[in-house]
Amino acid sequence: MIFVLRQKKQDLPFDLNRKMNVAYINLCTEAEGPYKRMAIWFQGCNLLCEGCCNPELQPISPAHIMTIKEIVDIAIESKGKNGIEGVTFLGGEPTLQSNIKYLISELKDRNIGTIMFTGRGLEEIDEEIVKNLDLIVDGRFDKNQIDTERNLVGSRNQKIINVTDRYKNIDSWFLNKRDKMVEINICQRESLLITGDML
Ligand code: SF4
């Protein structure tokens, strides 16, 4: 459950050397979707929803620049060590990462499930991103429609979309509000990374 930063330059095939702007990584959490998961928060969002719960992730400026290869390697390692079933993408706005479709594809090739929280509506997202994801929670956060019923879903206008059947039978994870689900993880920078649903 530790924040990870690696910026090693490697001699890799072109696609795997493509870069992404990562704010935080939580190697293993049960607060960001069903089963054990790795969670990745990307830096940068231009949707600027009023009441955004992660305003520090809005600035579109370099945080931790990592290659797809580095992120995939971390996920594989966490799968082996921690038994993660999948990866959750959060932000910031994951779809602003021009290379996210390659990352999703690489994870899918390794049978690692993918869930993406996006402020964009499904109709606004590139089909190349959507097609390899397993589940999407879409739409802008609307502070006038706070969702107190569903896990992790900020406002009632946001939809849970099963792109594949991978998580279809465990919709209850999102639909049945559980007791407060908060994890506190200590980052290497000695700051706190708090994940989960705090409503
Ligand atoms: S889309 Fe998400 S990260 Fe972006 S401003 Fe809205 S709530 Fe914040």
Side-chain angles (χ1 to χ4, degrees), residues 3-10 17 19-22 62-67 70-71 74 189:
F3 171 84
V4 173
L5 167 60
R6 297 181 190 175
Q7 296 196 40
K8 254 187 329 196
K9 180 74 182 158
Q10 300 183 28
N17 265 326
K19 304 282 199 304
M20 307 194 79
N21 191 9
V22 174
H64 308 303
I65 307 301
M66 300 175 68
T67 67
E70 287 171 323
I71 298 171
I74 291 168
R189 286 183 173 176

PDB file of all heavy atoms in Angstrom, residues 3-10 17 19-22 62-67 70-71 74 189:
ATOM      1  N   PHE A   3       2.931   4.300  -2.065  1.00  0.00           N
ATOM      2  CA  PHE A   3       3.097   5.166  -3.213  1.00  0.00           C
ATOM      3  C   PHE A   3       4.422   4.837  -3.913  1.00  0.00           C
ATOM      4  O   PHE A   3       5.416   4.584  -3.249  1.00  0.00           O
ATOM      5  CB  PHE A   3       3.120   6.591  -2.662  1.00  0.00           C
ATOM      6  CG  PHE A   3       3.493   7.629  -3.622  1.00  0.00           C
ATOM      7  CD1 PHE A   3       2.555   8.168  -4.460  1.00  0.00           C
ATOM      8  CD2 PHE A   3       4.791   8.073  -3.679  1.00  0.00           C
ATOM      9  CE1 PHE A   3       2.908   9.164  -5.323  1.00  0.00           C
ATOM     10  CE2 PHE A   3       5.148   9.058  -4.538  1.00  0.00           C
ATOM     11  CZ  PHE A   3       4.201   9.607  -5.368  1.00  0.00           C
ATOM     12  N   VAL A   4       4.381   4.811  -5.232  1.00  0.00           N
ATOM     13  CA  VAL A   4       5.556   4.351  -5.960  1.00  0.00           C
ATOM     14  C   VAL A   4       6.008   5.407  -6.958  1.00  0.00           C
ATOM     15  O   VAL A   4       5.202   6.017  -7.631  1.00  0.00           O
ATOM     16  CB  VAL A   4       5.215   3.058  -6.732  1.00  0.00           C
ATOM     17  CG1 VAL A   4       6.366   2.661  -7.626  1.00  0.00           C
ATOM     18  CG2 VAL A   4       4.905   1.942  -5.766  1.00  0.00           C
ATOM     19  N   LEU A   5       7.261   5.626  -7.031  1.00  0.00           N
ATOM     20  CA  LEU A   5       7.794   6.545  -8.041  1.00  0.00           C
ATOM     21  C   LEU A   5       9.021   5.914  -8.668  1.00  0.00           C
ATOM     22  O   LEU A   5       9.985   5.607  -7.985  1.00  0.00           O
ATOM     23  CB  LEU A   5       8.164   7.878  -7.396  1.00  0.00           C
ATOM     24  CG  LEU A   5       9.016   8.824  -8.250  1.00  0.00           C
ATOM     25  CD1 LEU A   5       8.283   9.178  -9.533  1.00  0.00           C
ATOM     26  CD2 LEU A   5       9.342  10.071  -7.467  1.00  0.00           C
ATOM     27  N   ARG A   6       8.940   5.687  -9.984  1.00  0.00           N
ATOM     28  CA  ARG A   6      10.119   5.203 -10.682  1.00  0.00           C
ATOM     29  C   ARG A   6      10.224   5.972 -11.996  1.00  0.00           C
ATOM     30  O   ARG A   6       9.244   6.181 -12.659  1.00  0.00           O
ATOM     31  CB  ARG A   6       9.996   3.709 -11.029  1.00  0.00           C
ATOM     32  CG  ARG A   6       9.903   2.821  -9.817  1.00  0.00           C
ATOM     33  CD  ARG A   6       9.804   1.389 -10.253  1.00  0.00           C
ATOM     34  NE  ARG A   6       9.470   0.533  -9.127  1.00  0.00           N
ATOM     35  CZ  ARG A   6       9.227  -0.748  -9.220  1.00  0.00           C
ATOM     36  NH1 ARG A   6       9.281  -1.334 -10.386  1.00  0.00           N
ATOM     37  NH2 ARG A   6       8.932  -1.461  -8.165  1.00  0.00           N
ATOM     38  N   GLN A   7      11.365   6.371 -12.363  1.00  0.00           N
ATOM     39  CA  GLN A   7      11.516   7.093 -13.624  1.00  0.00           C
ATOM     40  C   GLN A   7      12.680   6.534 -14.426  1.00  0.00           C
ATOM     41  O   GLN A   7      13.384   7.263 -15.099  1.00  0.00           O
ATOM     42  CB  GLN A   7      11.700   8.573 -13.360  1.00  0.00           C
ATOM     43  CG  GLN A   7      10.480   9.209 -12.705  1.00  0.00           C
ATOM     44  CD  GLN A   7      10.487  10.702 -12.781  1.00  0.00           C
ATOM     45  OE1 GLN A   7      10.861  11.277 -13.787  1.00  0.00           O
ATOM     46  NE2 GLN A   7      10.072  11.355 -11.729  1.00  0.00           N
ATOM     47  N   LYS A   8      12.897   5.219 -14.361  1.00  0.00           N
ATOM     48  CA  LYS A   8      14.002   4.604 -15.064  1.00  0.00           C
ATOM     49  C   LYS A   8      13.779   4.662 -16.562  1.00  0.00           C
ATOM     50  O   LYS A   8      12.719   4.324 -17.064  1.00  0.00           O
ATOM     51  CB  LYS A   8      14.093   3.125 -14.674  1.00  0.00           C
ATOM     52  CG  LYS A   8      15.228   2.813 -13.754  1.00  0.00           C
ATOM     53  CD  LYS A   8      15.380   1.347 -13.534  1.00  0.00           C
ATOM     54  CE  LYS A   8      14.109   0.570 -13.600  1.00  0.00           C
ATOM     55  NZ  LYS A   8      14.159  -0.757 -13.042  1.00  0.00           N
ATOM     56  N   LYS A   9      14.723   5.040 -17.302  1.00  0.00           N
ATOM     57  CA  LYS A   9      14.633   5.021 -18.757  1.00  0.00           C
ATOM     58  C   LYS A   9      15.052   3.635 -19.232  1.00  0.00           C
ATOM     59  O   LYS A   9      16.062   3.105 -18.825  1.00  0.00           O
ATOM     60  CB  LYS A   9      15.566   6.092 -19.320  1.00  0.00           C
ATOM     61  CG  LYS A   9      15.569   6.175 -20.822  1.00  0.00           C
ATOM     62  CD  LYS A   9      14.319   6.825 -21.347  1.00  0.00           C
ATOM     63  CE  LYS A   9      14.325   6.856 -22.868  1.00  0.00           C
ATOM     64  NZ  LYS A   9      12.976   6.977 -23.399  1.00  0.00           N
ATOM     65  N   GLN A  10      14.256   3.022 -20.050  1.00  0.00           N
ATOM     66  CA  GLN A  10      14.584   1.674 -20.491  1.00  0.00           C
ATOM     67  C   GLN A  10      14.536   1.603 -22.007  1.00  0.00           C
ATOM     68  O   GLN A  10      13.848   2.366 -22.663  1.00  0.00           O
ATOM     69  CB  GLN A  10      13.595   0.677 -19.909  1.00  0.00           C
ATOM     70  CG  GLN A  10      13.612   0.703 -18.377  1.00  0.00           C
ATOM     71  CD  GLN A  10      12.683  -0.344 -17.802  1.00  0.00           C
ATOM     72  OE1 GLN A  10      12.449  -1.367 -18.432  1.00  0.00           O
ATOM     73  NE2 GLN A  10      12.178  -0.085 -16.628  1.00  0.00           N
ATOM     74  N   ASN A  17       7.240   2.490 -24.155  1.00  0.00           N
ATOM     75  CA  ASN A  17       7.990   3.647 -23.657  1.00  0.00           C
ATOM     76  C   ASN A  17       7.154   4.917 -23.612  1.00  0.00           C
ATOM     77  O   ASN A  17       7.643   5.964 -23.186  1.00  0.00           O
ATOM     78  CB  ASN A  17       9.215   3.898 -24.527  1.00  0.00           C
ATOM     79  CG  ASN A  17      10.448   3.240 -23.943  1.00  0.00           C
ATOM     80  OD1 ASN A  17      10.596   3.161 -22.729  1.00  0.00           O
ATOM     81  ND2 ASN A  17      11.309   2.754 -24.815  1.00  0.00           N
ATOM     82  N   LYS A  19       4.670   7.692 -22.361  1.00  0.00           N
ATOM     83  CA  LYS A  19       4.681   8.244 -21.005  1.00  0.00           C
ATOM     84  C   LYS A  19       3.276   8.553 -20.478  1.00  0.00           C
ATOM     85  O   LYS A  19       2.364   8.874 -21.235  1.00  0.00           O
ATOM     86  CB  LYS A  19       5.486   9.546 -20.983  1.00  0.00           C
ATOM     87  CG  LYS A  19       6.916   9.414 -21.502  1.00  0.00           C
ATOM     88  CD  LYS A  19       7.801   8.802 -20.464  1.00  0.00           C
ATOM     89  CE  LYS A  19       9.275   9.046 -20.711  1.00  0.00           C
ATOM     90  NZ  LYS A  19       9.748   8.596 -22.011  1.00  0.00           N
ATOM     91  N   MET A  20       3.160   8.495 -19.150  1.00  0.00           N
ATOM     92  CA  MET A  20       1.920   8.893 -18.498  1.00  0.00           C
ATOM     93  C   MET A  20       2.266   9.750 -17.284  1.00  0.00           C
ATOM     94  O   MET A  20       3.350   9.621 -16.716  1.00  0.00           O
ATOM     95  CB  MET A  20       1.118   7.658 -18.085  1.00  0.00           C
ATOM     96  CG  MET A  20       0.899   6.714 -19.253  1.00  0.00           C
ATOM     97  SD  MET A  20      -0.336   5.457 -18.970  1.00  0.00           S
ATOM     98  CE  MET A  20      -1.838   6.403 -19.219  1.00  0.00           C
ATOM     99  N   ASN A  21       1.322  10.599 -16.905  1.00  0.00           N
ATOM    100  CA  ASN A  21       1.551  11.540 -15.800  1.00  0.00           C
ATOM    101  C   ASN A  21       0.777  11.049 -14.576  1.00  0.00           C
ATOM    102  O   ASN A  21      -0.437  11.218 -14.484  1.00  0.00           O
ATOM    103  CB  ASN A  21       1.087  12.937 -16.232  1.00  0.00           C
ATOM    104  CG  ASN A  21       1.523  14.015 -15.264  1.00  0.00           C
ATOM    105  OD1 ASN A  21       2.302  13.774 -14.349  1.00  0.00           O
ATOM    106  ND2 ASN A  21       1.006  15.216 -15.475  1.00  0.00           N
ATOM    107  N   VAL A  22       1.507  10.415 -13.669  1.00  0.00           N
ATOM    108  CA  VAL A  22       0.888   9.730 -12.530  1.00  0.00           C
ATOM    109  C   VAL A  22       1.033  10.584 -11.268  1.00  0.00           C
ATOM    110  O   VAL A  22       2.129  11.066 -10.961  1.00  0.00           O
ATOM    111  CB  VAL A  22       1.560   8.358 -12.322  1.00  0.00           C
ATOM    112  CG1 VAL A  22       1.046   7.692 -11.050  1.00  0.00           C
ATOM    113  CG2 VAL A  22       1.324   7.464 -13.542  1.00  0.00           C
ATOM    114  N   PRO A  62       3.459  18.315 -14.804  1.00  0.00           N
ATOM    115  CA  PRO A  62       4.097  17.024 -14.561  1.00  0.00           C
ATOM    116  C   PRO A  62       4.113  16.657 -13.081  1.00  0.00           C
ATOM    117  O   PRO A  62       4.498  17.478 -12.252  1.00  0.00           O
ATOM    118  CB  PRO A  62       5.523  17.231 -15.083  1.00  0.00           C
ATOM    119  CG  PRO A  62       5.451  18.443 -15.950  1.00  0.00           C
ATOM    120  CD  PRO A  62       4.344  19.296 -15.418  1.00  0.00           C
ATOM    121  N   ALA A  63       3.696  15.450 -12.777  1.00  0.00           N
ATOM    122  CA  ALA A  63       3.805  14.912 -11.415  1.00  0.00           C
ATOM    123  C   ALA A  63       4.906  13.850 -11.449  1.00  0.00           C
ATOM    124  O   ALA A  63       6.073  14.180 -11.312  1.00  0.00           O
ATOM    125  CB  ALA A  63       2.469  14.339 -10.955  1.00  0.00           C
ATOM    126  N   HIS A  64       4.529  12.609 -11.689  1.00  0.00           N
ATOM    127  CA  HIS A  64       5.524  11.540 -11.836  1.00  0.00           C
ATOM    128  C   HIS A  64       5.370  10.957 -13.237  1.00  0.00           C
ATOM    129  O   HIS A  64       4.363  10.312 -13.532  1.00  0.00           O
ATOM    130  CB  HIS A  64       5.317  10.467 -10.777  1.00  0.00           C
ATOM    131  CG  HIS A  64       5.258  11.029  -9.397  1.00  0.00           C
ATOM    132  ND1 HIS A  64       6.275  11.788  -8.856  1.00  0.00           N
ATOM    133  CD2 HIS A  64       4.301  10.986  -8.457  1.00  0.00           C
ATOM    134  CE1 HIS A  64       5.948  12.173  -7.653  1.00  0.00           C
ATOM    135  NE2 HIS A  64       4.744  11.709  -7.388  1.00  0.00           N
ATOM    136  N   ILE A  65       6.308  11.227 -14.073  1.00  0.00           N
ATOM    137  CA  ILE A  65       6.223  10.765 -15.459  1.00  0.00           C
ATOM    138  C   ILE A  65       6.744   9.338 -15.527  1.00  0.00           C
ATOM    139  O   ILE A  65       7.911   9.069 -15.239  1.00  0.00           O
ATOM    140  CB  ILE A  65       7.033  11.684 -16.397  1.00  0.00           C
ATOM    141  CG1 ILE A  65       6.602  13.147 -16.215  1.00  0.00           C
ATOM    142  CG2 ILE A  65       6.884  11.231 -17.843  1.00  0.00           C
ATOM    143  CD1 ILE A  65       5.124  13.413 -16.487  1.00  0.00           C
ATOM    144  N   MET A  66       5.861   8.433 -15.878  1.00  0.00           N
ATOM    145  CA  MET A  66       6.206   7.010 -15.895  1.00  0.00           C
ATOM    146  C   MET A  66       5.880   6.428 -17.264  1.00  0.00           C
ATOM    147  O   MET A  66       4.958   6.875 -17.942  1.00  0.00           O
ATOM    148  CB  MET A  66       5.395   6.260 -14.833  1.00  0.00           C
ATOM    149  CG  MET A  66       5.635   6.765 -13.415  1.00  0.00           C
ATOM    150  SD  MET A  66       4.574   5.967 -12.187  1.00  0.00           S
ATOM    151  CE  MET A  66       5.237   4.301 -12.207  1.00  0.00           C
ATOM    152  N   THR A  67       6.628   5.409 -17.653  1.00  0.00           N
ATOM    153  CA  THR A  67       6.311   4.734 -18.909  1.00  0.00           C
ATOM    154  C   THR A  67       5.223   3.692 -18.669  1.00  0.00           C
ATOM    155  O   THR A  67       5.010   3.229 -17.536  1.00  0.00           O
ATOM    156  CB  THR A  67       7.543   4.032 -19.501  1.00  0.00           C
ATOM    157  OG1 THR A  67       7.921   2.956 -18.634  1.00  0.00           O
ATOM    158  CG2 THR A  67       8.707   4.986 -19.698  1.00  0.00           C
ATOM    159  N   GLU A  70       6.721   0.642 -17.086  1.00  0.00           N
ATOM    160  CA  GLU A  70       6.922   0.723 -15.633  1.00  0.00           C
ATOM    161  C   GLU A  70       5.615   0.454 -14.888  1.00  0.00           C
ATOM    162  O   GLU A  70       5.595  -0.274 -13.889  1.00  0.00           O
ATOM    163  CB  GLU A  70       7.470   2.106 -15.262  1.00  0.00           C
ATOM    164  CG  GLU A  70       8.917   2.291 -15.648  1.00  0.00           C
ATOM    165  CD  GLU A  70       9.388   3.734 -15.482  1.00  0.00           C
ATOM    166  OE1 GLU A  70       8.614   4.663 -15.752  1.00  0.00           O
ATOM    167  OE2 GLU A  70      10.534   3.910 -15.076  1.00  0.00           O
ATOM    168  N   ILE A  71       4.523   1.023 -15.370  1.00  0.00           N
ATOM    169  CA  ILE A  71       3.240   0.849 -14.678  1.00  0.00           C
ATOM    170  C   ILE A  71       2.779  -0.606 -14.780  1.00  0.00           C
ATOM    171  O   ILE A  71       2.327  -1.201 -13.806  1.00  0.00           O
ATOM    172  CB  ILE A  71       2.179   1.810 -15.264  1.00  0.00           C
ATOM    173  CG1 ILE A  71       2.616   3.263 -15.052  1.00  0.00           C
ATOM    174  CG2 ILE A  71       0.823   1.555 -14.622  1.00  0.00           C
ATOM    175  CD1 ILE A  71       1.756   4.291 -15.772  1.00  0.00           C
ATOM    176  N   ILE A  74       4.697  -2.809 -12.430  1.00  0.00           N
ATOM    177  CA  ILE A  74       4.254  -2.642 -11.042  1.00  0.00           C
ATOM    178  C   ILE A  74       2.961  -3.430 -10.811  1.00  0.00           C
ATOM    179  O   ILE A  74       2.782  -4.078  -9.774  1.00  0.00           O
ATOM    180  CB  ILE A  74       4.063  -1.150 -10.727  1.00  0.00           C
ATOM    181  CG1 ILE A  74       5.423  -0.448 -10.697  1.00  0.00           C
ATOM    182  CG2 ILE A  74       3.358  -0.960  -9.392  1.00  0.00           C
ATOM    183  CD1 ILE A  74       5.323   1.065 -10.689  1.00  0.00           C
ATOM    184  N   ARG A 189       6.738   9.742   0.752  1.00  0.00           N
ATOM    185  CA  ARG A 189       7.066  11.135   1.052  1.00  0.00           C
ATOM    186  C   ARG A 189       6.557  11.560   2.417  1.00  0.00           C
ATOM    187  O   ARG A 189       6.534  12.732   2.734  1.00  0.00           O
ATOM    188  CB  ARG A 189       6.474  12.052  -0.015  1.00  0.00           C
ATOM    189  CG  ARG A 189       7.216  11.991  -1.318  1.00  0.00           C
ATOM    190  CD  ARG A 189       6.610  12.983  -2.264  1.00  0.00           C
ATOM    191  NE  ARG A 189       7.384  13.093  -3.478  1.00  0.00           N
ATOM    192  CZ  ARG A 189       7.017  13.851  -4.494  1.00  0.00           C
ATOM    193  NH1 ARG A 189       5.909  14.533  -4.439  1.00  0.00           N
ATOM    194  NH2 ARG A 189       7.762  13.918  -5.570  1.00  0.00           N
TER     195      ARG A 189
END
